[in-house]
Amino acid sequence: MKLKTALLAAALLPGVLIAACSSPSQASSPQGSWGSNEPHKPQLTLADDGTLSGTDGCNRIIGSWELRDERVFLSPLATTMMFCEGVDTWLSRASSAELKKETLHLYDEAGAEIGTLERSSSGLSTPK
């Protein structure tokens, strides 16, 4: 009987582990860092407590965020006001976002997509 139980457990364990590893934890959550840590590149961090921080590639950005109906709503963002020649500061105009796979699509107040940020592990960003 103990042998049957051990064999059954061994047979079921891989399925349990696969299900646990594929659960939608951070992969479907907007929390985390987005963009690049490289100079003059946009980066955004959405913290668990609803705060956000980052840079548009020139100016520091702070604010808050809230997830409602699969969409991320951003508070009006506070930014520093430095001038950086040749840097597109599109991220500072964001007012909402949607997560599509591992890409955060950002929208301005009118609902137009203004750019995207990849999870920070890839460090890619694309202005529209």
Side-chain angles (χ1 to χ4, degrees):
M1 183 65 159
K2 287 183 183 180
L3 182 58
K4 281 185 179 180
T5 304
L7 288 173
L8 180 61
L12 293 176
L13 185 60
V16 171
L17 291 175
I18 290 170
C21 291
S22 64
S23 65
S25 57
Q26 186 183 11
S28 63
S29 171
Q31 290 135 316
S33 294
W34 300 90
S36 175
N37 288 325
E38 295 178 31
H40 309 295
K41 300 289 182 185
Q43 186 274 336
L44 190 64
T45 299
L46 303 178
D48 293 342
D49 65 358
T51 60
L52 70 82
S53 61
T55 177
D56 60 13
C58 178
N59 293 290
R60 299 293 307 153
I61 297 173
I62 60 170
S64 61
W65 69 277
E66 179 181 16
L67 182 63
R68 285 181 282 161
D69 299 324
E70 305 290 320
R71 192 169 182 101
V72 177
F73 292 91
L74 309 177
S75 68
L77 302 176
T79 68
T80 56
M81 301 291 286
M82 296 186 298
F83 172 75
C84 295
E85 189 172 340
V87 176
D88 184 354
T89 59
W90 63 270
L91 183 57
S92 62
R93 298 189 314 271
S95 67
S96 65
E98 285 183 315
L99 180 59
K100 298 177 183 176
K101 296 189 180 183
E102 291 299 299
T103 303
L104 193 65
H105 294 255
L106 293 125
Y107 303 89
D108 64 13
E109 197 170 286
E113 185 172 330
I114 57 173
T116 60
L117 296 173
E118 301 292 324
R119 282 216 187 261
S120 64
S121 60
S122 62
L124 302 172
S125 61
T126 308
K128 290 287 175 175

